[in-house]
Amino acid sequence: MEILWVLMALVMLGFVLLQLSRRRRGAVGLVEPGHPDAADPANYGFAREEELDIRMPGPDEDLLDVLDLVQRTQDYRGAQQLLAGTEAKGERRWQRVQAFAGAASLELRQRPGGVGETPGGQWLRVWRAEAPKDAGGAAVHAEFLVQQAWRTATPGSDDFRIIMEEAKAACGEAALLAPGDPVPYIIELSVARGLGYSREEFEQLWLKILDRAPNHMGAHLAALQYWCEKWHGSRELAYSFAEAAAARAPRGSLLAAMPLFAVFEHLPEVNLVSGFYQSEVVTKAVHGALHAVHSAHRDDPMQAHVRHLLVFFLVRGERWAEAMNQLMVIDGHVGALPWTLSSDPAAEFAVYRALAVAGYEANGGSPATLPH
């Protein structure tokens, strides 16, 4: 009985010490909106949750304007012209191909078509029919098929394999139409993951991308998936791939942030390690990503991807001021990891943003003390 009382006393003492420790560190928690202790993100000029754009990680007004035009008129030519004027080996072309394909896929899901009804995404079908030699249209069609496979079929099923095989053929056709364009091969990286390419086959595909765009961040993120433990690799192989990319990253490249994505892809489902987000492996990856965004070109469209992931890790690591610095840059758009893994990306982002604001203010911060 005495042992039982001692154990109970130790538990109570531990609880008291934990509360004192949390207060000293300015720890925060979520409260109901309108609560006197609630921090208000609006004080920092942040967008309301319902205004957050879930389509893209960052702004691309030209793309948004063209997307609106294409979907309103069902005329593909605006998309064709935009892609034709976008640098083939740049990150933005890859993002725009994904966006057009995603828009067509979403339209089809919303309007699958029936008797007397035109299915959604008809503009993409017309594009391929009227301009079969257009490289942009071929790339969008290949990516559309990839997205359809992941969204409408179960990986490993016959339906999934049939669509992916069609996507693989479409990637080959797109590559023939634009020999120097890395995008068709980047699209095929997802096919390789879905169809389970052998490592030799995958390496051959990867070399084609390196020959055309060796520092393409989007391509590296797509390739990282193949090497992850949940697909065809392991934690060690994924870390090795990411660290090798970071090591050879030229000045101004965001590839230095690759280890942070590898860490994210292998987060433990149940974190039993105290202070995991302040651990050496996470801290090192976060510092690499911070260095990457600070040294990258201001107009690099992949910056937003890195900054969104940084918000996740910085909030988890209770690095409130650094998280706020990232939020000031990216707020308004949430179409990036980790938010897109949620069924409600805007709500997920808003929770982390509220925590960052609360933590910042609990440690003496205010709108006046945050650099703009």
Side-chain angles (χ1 to χ4, degrees):
M1 181 63 71
E2 290 181 355
I3 294 177
L4 179 60
W5 282 108
V6 170
L7 289 174
M8 291 177 64
L10 288 174
V11 169
M12 293 300 295
L13 178 61
F15 178 79
V16 172
L17 290 175
L18 175 62
Q19 298 305 309
L20 290 174
S21 173
R22 289 176 63 84
R23 289 173 185 172
R24 284 199 301 269
R25 291 188 293 118
V28 298
L30 290 177
V31 296
E32 292 295 324
H35 189 282
D37 293 334
D40 189 356
N43 293 337
Y44 296 84
F46 291 146
R48 295 194 299 270
E49 182 180 326
E50 61 270 22
E51 297 173 339
L52 294 169
D53 192 327
I54 65 174
R55 295 170 294 179
M56 297 184 299
D60 186 344
E61 293 305 323
D62 290 340
L63 173 61
L64 289 178
D65 290 344
V66 171
L67 263 177
D68 177 68
L69 177 65
V70 169
Q71 294 187 303
R72 181 163 35 85
T73 65
Q74 290 295 295
D75 187 337
Y76 68 86
R77 286 175 292 182
Q80 182 184 37
Q81 292 170 4
L82 182 64
L83 286 182
T86 306
E87 181 189 0
K89 297 183 180 181
E91 304 281 355
R92 199 172 295 280
R93 179 179 174 82
W94 166 229
Q95 290 190 0
R96 288 173 172 175
V97 165
Q98 287 181 299
F100 286 129
S105 179
L106 181 59
E107 281 186 36
L108 182 59
R109 183 171 62 180
Q110 294 172 338
R111 301 193 311 276
V115 178
E117 181 186 8
T118 301
Q122 183 66 19
W123 53 269
L124 179 54
R125 297 181 185 84
V126 175
W127 187 355
R128 294 297 295 130
E130 293 186 354
K133 300 300 182 183
D134 180 63
V140 172
H141 179 238
E143 173 64 16
F144 167 81
L145 291 171
V146 166
Q147 294 194 25
Q148 282 295 100
W150 290 110
R151 288 176 176 173
T152 66
T154 303
S157 67
D158 289 342
D159 288 344
F160 181 84
R161 178 167 290 276
I162 289 170
I163 301 174
M164 276 298 188
E165 290 289 357
E166 187 179 354
K168 181 178 180 180
C171 288
E173 183 179 349
L176 289 174
L177 291 172
D181 187 353
V183 169
Y185 299 103
I186 299 174
I187 297 171
E188 192 179 348
L189 289 172
S190 187
V191 176
R193 176 162 55 98
L195 293 181
Y197 281 22
S198 70
R199 291 184 182 177
E200 182 180 357
E201 290 174 312
F202 187 86
E203 290 286 7
Q204 290 175 353
L205 172 61
W206 184 238
L207 286 174
K208 293 177 182 177
I209 295 171
L210 292 182
D211 286 343
R212 292 162 175 79
N215 300 315
H216 199 290
M217 180 70 172
H220 280 78
L221 291 178
L224 176 65
Q225 291 294 315
Y226 178 90
W227 295 114
C228 285
E229 190 173 59
K230 60 187 175 184
W231 288 106
H232 308 293
S234 64
R235 179 191 302 267
E236 291 72 24
L237 286 171
Y239 277 29
S240 177
F241 175 81
E243 289 165 1
R248 66 169 183 270
R251 183 175 179 81
S253 169
L254 287 165
L255 290 178
M258 284 297 299
L260 189 64
F261 286 87
V263 171
F264 176 76
E265 293 295 342
H266 294 87
L267 288 177
E269 291 186 13
V270 179
N271 181 15
L272 300 177
V273 181
S274 177
F276 173 78
Y277 290 93
Q278 293 91 25
S279 65
E280 182 179 356
V281 64
V282 173
T283 299
K284 182 180 178 181
V286 166
H287 286 170
L290 286 169
H291 171 75
V293 295
H294 289 157
S295 60
H297 300 295
R298 293 177 61 88
D299 60 348
D300 190 325
M302 294 302 293
Q303 271 207 55
H305 288 274
V306 180
R307 291 184 186 277
H308 278 288
L309 198 61
L310 274 169
V311 169
F312 172 86
F313 278 98
L314 292 170
V315 168
R316 289 291 187 95
E318 299 183 8
R319 297 168 64 167
W320 313 116
E322 292 169 291
M324 291 294 290
N325 288 335
Q326 301 305 318
L327 286 166
M328 295 297 290
V329 179
I330 60 172
D331 189 74
H333 297 82
V334 295
L337 286 175
W339 328 121
T340 50
L341 296 178
S342 168
S343 59
D344 191 343
E348 185 78 1
F349 174 83
V351 167
Y352 276 78
R353 186 178 63 182
L355 284 170
V357 171
Y360 182 63
E361 294 186 353
N363 286 274
S366 71
T369 60
L370 190 67
H372 289 74

